[in-house]
Amino acid sequence: MQAEAGPAADSYPERRPSRTTLRDETLLVLALSLGASGVSALISFVGSVTEPGGLKDQAATLNASAAPGRPWLDLAWQLFGITTALVPVALVAHFLLREGAGLRTLGFDRTRPWSDLGRGAAVAAVIGSSGIAFYLAARGLGFNLTVVPEALPEVWWKYPVLILSAMQNSILEEVIVVGYLLRRLDQLGWSPGASLAASSVLRGSYHLYQGIGGFIGNMVMGVVFVYLYRRWGRVGPLVVAHTLLDIGAFVGYALLAGKVDWLPTA
């Protein structure tokens, strides 16, 4: 005997999410990811500017040991942090699939690997050199903390973890702050200028823990990345560029800290 069916599927017809649903969804995604990071960075910045002494005499450490003296436990914590930080990206992918799109609609796929790699490398080369100069100038003027990109122990997994951390940062930021956020703001009827401002200010906000220089520098980078996304229609090149920039910062610092006099250390 055939069991009685539950509520018919067509009793709950699929429909395009309302503006309220899209707005609330976007706010929740940001609250679980980089919006929360922005608030955290603001609190950290307030603490830094109210601390006795100048900003450049304080340090902001990015990749630190989670279990000093216990390398295997430390590795477990590092991988756990990298993996869980990408959960909001999986949530975004779920929301996009629900509306029949997916991350491919943001240009985060493997359909144009060489184009993405070439464009990303070119962007990283331009931004990387100017970014270092801007950071050194901002710190010299007292607008920035001393950024310590890594403080991991000298163990075999140090450089692989730094590379994975760079990849995680780039995927999280570019998928959410550029691709997803701009798509949702477009659907909510925001103008291109307002969307650009929102994306770039958000990017700057969660770097505020580094100081005013970190906020301004990353906000400018955000403007450039939004322009390139609008032009190319893909976050792929931006993920490549951001990954290369962070690898250069993390691995470069690990190799050069204390060996060159122009690189500030804590």
Side-chain angles (χ1 to χ4, degrees):
M1 178 177 177
Q2 184 175 3
E4 183 178 352
D10 57 5
S11 298
Y12 305 96
E14 292 186 7
R15 57 190 175 89
R16 180 186 177 87
S18 66
R19 288 172 57 88
T20 301
T21 299
L22 291 176
R23 181 201 65 197
D24 293 347
E25 173 198 301
T26 304
L27 291 175
L28 287 170
V29 168
L30 294 179
L32 289 170
S33 59
L34 295 166
S37 297
V39 176
S40 174
L42 175 60
I43 296 172
S44 178
F45 175 69
V46 172
S48 296
V49 296
T50 55
E51 184 81 12
L55 288 180
K56 68 179 181 180
D57 297 323
Q58 302 175 51
T61 304
L62 306 188
N63 296 283
S65 175
R70 306 183 68 183
W72 285 104
L73 183 62
D74 200 348
L75 175 60
W77 278 118
Q78 298 294 336
L79 296 178
F80 174 78
I82 291 170
T83 303
T84 54
L86 290 174
V87 171
V89 176
L91 184 62
V92 163
H94 167 74
F95 286 139
L96 293 175
L97 285 171
R98 188 186 59 185
E99 63 183 83
L103 293 177
R104 185 172 184 175
T105 195
L106 306 181
F108 187 58
D109 54 29
R110 295 178 294 177
T111 59
R112 303 179 188 175
W114 296 113
S115 174
D116 289 348
L117 182 61
R119 287 173 169 175
V123 172
V126 174
I127 291 181
S129 55
S130 56
I132 292 174
F134 182 81
Y135 160 68
L136 293 175
R139 181 183 176 278
L141 293 171
F143 296 149
N144 225 74
L145 284 74
T146 297
V147 178
V148 180
E150 72 85 23
L152 295 176
E154 294 296 331
V155 289
W156 66 267
W157 49 259
K158 174 176 180 173
Y159 292 104
V161 162
L162 290 176
I163 293 172
L164 289 175
S165 178
M167 295 173 64
Q168 173 255 298
N169 288 340
S170 62
I171 293 171
L172 177 67
E173 294 186 37
E174 306 317 325
V175 168
I176 292 182
V177 179
V178 179
Y180 171 75
L181 182 59
L182 292 182
R183 178 180 176 85
R184 286 295 183 253
L185 295 182
D186 287 347
Q187 292 172 324
L188 291 171
W190 285 44
S191 69
S195 297
L196 182 149
S199 177
S200 57
V201 169
L202 175 59
R203 185 187 296 268
S205 72
Y206 56 79
H207 288 93
L208 192 56
Y209 69 91
Q210 299 177 10
I212 296 296
F215 173 78
I216 294 176
N218 281 279
M219 189 170 63
V220 172
M221 176 177 163
V223 172
V224 173
F225 273 29
V226 169
Y227 170 78
L228 294 176
Y229 176 71
R230 294 292 196 191
R231 182 179 179 86
W232 295 333
R234 295 183 58 79
V235 297
L238 308 182
V239 170
V240 171
H242 195 153
T243 298
L244 293 176
L245 288 170
D246 278 8
I247 289 176
F250 299 165
V251 175
Y253 184 89
L255 294 174
L256 297 177
K259 300 177 182 178
V260 294
D261 55 8
W262 57 265
L263 182 62
T265 57

